[in-house]
Amino acid sequence: MEQLNLRHLYYFWVISREGSIARASELLDLAPQTLSGQLATFESAVGGRLFLRERRKLALTDLGRMILGYADDIFALTGELTDTLQLAPADRPLTLAAGISASIHKLIAYYLLQPAMVLKRPVQLECRTGRTEDLVLSLKRKELDVVLADRMPGLDEHGPFTVHPVAGSSISLFAAPALAANLKEGFPDSLNGQPLLANATDAPYFERLMNWLSLQGVRMRLMARVDDSALIKVFGRQGYGVFAAPTVIRREVCRQYEVEHIARIDEVQDELFAITRGRKLAHEGVRAICMDPVNFNALSTDLDR
């Protein structure tokens, strides 16, 4: 079957719901003979009987039950679409498909997306996490409306994109309580020889952190590279090493992962970007994200009050 005839599928769906051709023909305003002929054509197309007659009633065959499951999903969605199209354009939900680099902490991602979620128009948000390079390819294929990233991919090879700086935060260091207790005093010299957990060694902030440590005459031992913002904190909680995270979320990091804040390093900043297709921001949700950037350092001060 090269192409499914949706009208025939709809007739089959109504017959299944009504339980008889007679009742379905009344609902569809078709003659019973016409509807029977349409059903026969559909059965020929799908390669099997869809109904059996049992005691003057129609009973679905195994093939009929399988197709009915798909038809239920299809016509439930078309019903939702019909309801949505009946709304005034300004009242229709706005779909926003956002890609988020896996190394971005989920609370940070929430702050970045929040401007789009408070629009007067309702927003249906779809989020996808992954490697920045893969997300940018999805953006090029128009599967995503925006990509939130903490590093700059090679954009030239993918197509015309625009990069919007949306946030920045100083970096703080964290560790399990037993390890942190020995590192707070005498910081940063106390870090010498201590184990370090890295989000990703190609992340710009990591290079800045290593440069800052080098300037302080500190040399740490790289224990692991974990390109997932949540998993690295789990390793840190278990005492495997010191890890870095944006200062703005330090209270949440300490609470959720049962670690302690060692120190804030204002000289090391984590910069975040929104990547979009082209220069014009036609999408209302994307425009809110890019044009209303979050001041994370100010937010961090507010959270400490």
Side-chain angles (χ1 to χ4, degrees):
M1 184 170 55
E2 293 183 0
Q3 185 173 358
L4 182 68
N5 189 313
L6 289 179
R7 183 176 295 276
H8 289 163
L9 178 65
Y10 181 69
Y11 291 161
F12 158 74
W13 184 62
V14 174
I15 294 170
S16 302
R17 293 178 62 187
E18 296 301 316
S20 74
I21 290 179
R23 288 199 295 271
S25 64
E26 292 178 4
L27 186 64
L28 295 169
D29 195 22
L30 292 172
Q33 296 84 351
T34 300
L35 190 56
S36 293
Q38 296 291 316
L39 176 62
T41 300
F42 188 53
E43 287 181 325
S44 176
V46 300
R49 295 287 301 276
L50 301 176
F51 294 102
L52 296 175
R53 187 171 296 278
E54 295 180 355
R55 297 180 183 180
R56 299 183 180 179
K57 294 183 179 180
L58 294 179
L60 287 164
T61 63
D62 290 341
L63 177 62
R65 280 190 291 272
M66 184 271 290
I67 294 177
L68 179 61
Y70 285 97
D72 284 338
D73 292 339
I74 290 170
F75 294 117
L77 287 173
T78 57
E80 291 180 12
L81 175 59
T82 300
D83 293 340
T84 300
L85 292 176
Q86 289 174 348
L87 297 172
D91 296 329
R92 293 175 189 166
L94 179 67
T95 299
L96 174 61
I100 303 169
S101 295
S103 53
I104 295 179
H105 191 279
K106 303 309 177 281
L107 185 58
I108 293 287
Y110 164 77
Y111 285 136
L112 295 177
L113 293 170
Q114 191 180 32
M117 302 305 295
V118 295
L119 296 174
K120 293 182 179 180
R121 185 175 177 181
V123 174
Q124 291 180 345
L125 177 64
E126 300 175 6
C127 291
R128 182 190 305 177
T129 61
R131 295 174 61 250
T132 302
E133 292 76 10
D134 296 335
L135 296 174
V136 169
L137 285 175
S138 294
L139 180 67
K140 179 183 178 182
R141 293 194 291 261
K142 299 185 179 181
E143 298 169 355
L144 297 172
D145 299 308
V146 62
V147 171
L148 302 178
D150 56 356
R151 69 198 74 173
M152 292 296 297
L155 296 179
D156 291 341
E157 62 188 69
H158 296 305
F161 298 99
T162 302
V163 178
H164 311 264
V166 291
S169 171
S170 62
I171 287 294
S172 285
L173 298 181
F174 303 83
L179 179 57
N182 296 325
L183 300 179
K184 291 181 181 180
E185 186 174 351
F187 180 87
D189 294 338
S190 58
L191 297 175
N192 236 327
Q194 296 298 322
L196 175 65
L197 303 172
N199 280 73
T201 54
D202 60 340
Y205 90 82
F206 182 79
E207 182 178 353
R208 297 185 190 115
L209 175 61
M210 298 306 292
N211 288 338
W212 182 84
L213 290 172
S214 178
L215 289 174
Q216 309 307 311
V218 172
R219 189 178 184 86
M220 300 184 70
R221 293 182 292 112
L222 182 61
M223 292 295 294
R225 301 182 183 94
V226 184
D227 198 7
D228 184 278
S229 64
L231 183 57
I232 194 171
K233 294 171 181 61
V234 174
F235 276 95
R237 179 177 61 190
Q238 300 301 321
Y240 284 99
V242 176
F243 65 89
T247 303
V248 67
I249 57 171
R250 65 170 175 257
R251 291 177 61 183
E252 178 63 19
V253 169
C254 292
R255 183 195 64 81
Q256 183 175 350
Y257 297 97
E258 300 175 353
V259 294
E260 290 189 6
H261 179 252
I262 299 172
R264 168 176 175 166
I265 307 175
D266 291 327
E267 295 85 349
V268 180
Q269 295 284 319
D270 184 27
E271 298 177 340
L272 300 170
F273 311 92
I275 305 172
T276 61
R277 289 187 303 274
R279 295 182 179 275
K280 290 188 177 181
L281 299 176
H283 193 292
E284 189 176 354
V286 175
R287 188 162 60 247
I289 293 171
C290 297
M291 303 303 291
D292 187 20
V294 181
N295 186 338
F296 276 173
N297 286 327
L299 180 58
S300 175
T301 301
D302 291 340
L303 289 175
D304 286 338
R305 289 175 181 172

